[in-house]
Amino acid sequence: KALGEQMKHLEQQLKTVRLQAKKKLAQEKSANEAKVSALQATVDKLKAECAAHESKSQEAAASLEEMRTRLRDAVQAKNELESKVDELTQRINLTKNQTEPPQETEKSLESVTNP
């Protein structure tokens, strides 16, 4: 008889332990699901930030490429202007040489006309 009561008591303890274990597991599962949900929200937020940074990076790269193109065009225009200035300077010098006699010739002309 005592053995039967002891068995009932142990079965009751086993039920209680199982019930407590189920409750604890349910609480841990719920806490873990909340953690997973929070982590997923963080992941989603980081993905959005990454996409925004990627977009800004692409915009910056496009802007940089545009600036490079403009700089290249400006350098080319500067070189063309310098070339034109050089050409005009040469033409001016040629014209000066053709229209103005050298100073030595002027001096010899003066000596001939003013003895």
Side-chain angles (χ1 to χ4, degrees):
K1 186 175 177 182
L3 189 58
E5 282 184 26
Q6 195 175 7
M7 280 292 285
K8 281 185 181 182
H9 181 66
L10 287 174
E11 285 175 358
Q12 185 60 40
Q13 280 184 331
L14 182 60
K15 284 181 184 179
T16 302
V17 168
R18 283 184 178 163
L19 186 61
Q20 287 173 347
K22 279 186 178 181
K23 284 182 182 179
K24 185 174 181 182
L25 285 175
Q27 288 173 347
E28 288 177 1
K29 181 181 177 187
S30 178
N32 286 338
E33 286 172 349
K35 288 177 185 176
V36 166
S37 179
L39 289 172
Q40 186 60 52
T42 301
V43 166
D44 293 344
K45 178 185 171 193
L46 291 173
K47 282 182 180 178
E49 287 178 9
C50 186
H53 286 298
E54 180 66 26
S55 175
K56 286 181 183 177
S57 176
Q58 289 175 355
E59 288 174 15
S63 177
L64 180 60
E65 190 56 37
E66 180 185 340
M67 287 180 198
R68 284 182 178 152
T69 300
R70 289 168 58 190
L71 179 60
R72 202 172 15 251
D73 292 348
V75 167
Q76 183 178 350
K78 175 189 147 289
N79 290 340
E80 289 173 5
L81 286 173
E82 285 178 346
S83 177
K84 286 180 182 178
V85 165
D86 290 345
E87 181 185 328
L88 288 173
T89 302
Q90 287 175 358
R91 286 174 59 190
I92 288 169
N93 288 337
L94 270 175
T95 305
K96 275 185 180 180
N97 289 340
Q98 290 173 357
T99 59
E100 295 179 4
Q103 288 181 350
E104 295 170 2
T105 309
E106 286 179 16
K107 287 180 184 175
S108 8
L109 283 174
E110 282 179 19
S111 64
V112 170
T113 55
N114 298 325

